[in-house]
Amino acid sequence: MARIVQKYGGTSVGSVERIQHVASRIERAVQAGNELVVVVSAMGKSTDELVSLANQITDTPSKREMDMLLTTGEQVTISLLSMALQARGIDAISLTGWQAGMKTEASHGNARIEAINNERMEAELAQGKVVIVAGFQGISEDGEITTLGRGGSDTTAVALAASLKASRCDIYTDVEGVYTTDPRYVKKARKLHSISYDEMLEMANLGAGVLHPRAVEFAKNYDVPLMVASSMEDTVGTMIEEEVTMEQNLIIRGIAFENDVTKVTVSGLPNRLNTLSKLFTTLSENQVNVDIIIQNQYDDKHVNISFSITQSSLKETLAVLQEAQEELQFEDVTFEEELAKVSIVGSGMVSNPGVAAKMFDVLAKNEIFVKMVSTSEIKVSVVVDEADMVLAVEMLHEEFQLAEETEEAAVTV
Ligand code: ASP
Ligand code: MG
């Protein structure tokens, strides 16, 4: 008997028919002799609809009440799914986050999980029940209902799998797995057999929406084997685990991309030891999240600093800088909108020099201008015009031969 945690996303439970379909999948897993804990998201777009209801009342809803509101979405799904199972003669029980023992820090909107008290879940499992847990929610020490941030049900599932020592965590979703790149944009995108935690973490952080980055981090830290697969089709999904063989000839595993990037340049800053620290302390104190940073010295006395942010934080960023102009002693601020970030990711890079060079070469040949660059051991990101984004991804996908199905090589990276 294996203990398995399954998670079904919003689309997979988006209607009564889909909930029935999920129930039939759970039934199969139970009949195969498995012990099951199932985490579900809110139905379809219902979380968005709840957000919109709040926004119709006020522009500034309190974070506490927002969590109170949003957690109702998952509560609808757990009860309906439990009913669907019971109607099939399967013993099931739904539990909210707090009933399941999900303890989080005392912060609203994006709380981190602190501990899980398994007692209740273990007791229900011991009675042979399927335990259905509301994703994305928890409770703080002072008894407040919290949420884990949008998309947080993945994290709930992985955390439960770690805590309950499940043999795996299966994330069922509306795509068939993790792809070399987003198949909605690039037709030749190919489903991966497997990908390492580190690569997946980069992909998730760089805009591949298939998994919540924090869920991947959790899986890596607690060594939970993760599988992403379709809830609609019975196809093989993608395994996410520690050691993954690199497919033959492949240096990179995938390409992630996101638009909505804005580049801000602060020019004429004094060329002093503490200039960088002063600038970025000011920004971070005002909750401006900065991604790529570039510093240029243009004469003995002055530097220019560019950094990228999301489009939606531009107004706030400009306001913060304006406010601090005297203090920071810069001359001017300019910005460039409608940019995108394209990133190649793969552990094969570590032992293969020239990956970035090849990337720049492909982009140059296609007359795609690179505006910013950032690298880590297993990724290279470039900022380009949003209009060039899809072309850049297609050309890189081609050049790094990601579309080709290759034999799994015997090298482990
Ligand atoms: N329902 C929440 C959201 O839409 C959590 C989740 O689906 O993971 O963000
Ligand atoms: Mg999701």
Side-chain angles (χ1 to χ4, degrees), residues 116-134:
I116 300 174
N117 177 352
N118 291 333
E119 246 171 74
R120 176 74 187 270
M121 285 186 293
E122 288 287 5
E124 303 294 352
L125 287 170
Q127 289 180 37
K129 288 182 191 162
V130 173
V131 177
I132 318 276
V133 180

Side-chain angles (χ1 to χ4, degrees), residues 7 9 41 151 154 209-212:
K7 182 254 168 178
S41 291
D154 292 344
V210 60
L211 274 179
H212 199 242

Side-chain angles (χ1 to χ4, degrees), residues 7-11 39-48 70 73-74 135-137 147-156 212:
K7 182 254 168 178
Y8 293 92
T11 314
V39 174
V40 286
S41 291
M43 290 173 71
K45 297 255 167 278
S46 60
T47 309
D48 291 335
L70 297 193
E74 273 67 17
F136 163 68
Q137 56 178 260
T147 59
L148 311 180
R150 295 302 305 271
S153 294
D154 292 344
T155 308
T156 303
H212 199 242

Side-chain angles (χ1 to χ4, degrees), residues 64-110:
R64 180 196 185 271
E65 300 308 334
M66 212 52 199
D67 278 356
M68 187 63 87
L69 177 68
L70 297 193
T71 47
T72 62
E74 273 67 17
Q75 228 168 296
V76 170
T77 323
I78 53 170
S79 47
L80 291 176
L81 180 57
S82 188
M83 288 175 202
L85 287 167
Q86 289 168 0
R88 284 162 193 263
I90 296 170
D91 214 359
I93 184 164
S94 62
L95 300 176
T96 62
W98 72 265
Q99 289 177 311
M102 181 65 72
K103 303 238 163 70
T104 73
E105 62 183 356
S107 105
H108 289 291
N110 204 11

Side-chain angles (χ1 to χ4, degrees), residues 251 347-353 355 377 413:
I251 299 167
S347 354
M349 254 178 233
V350 178
S351 49
N352 280 282
V355 176
E377 269 205 312
V413 290

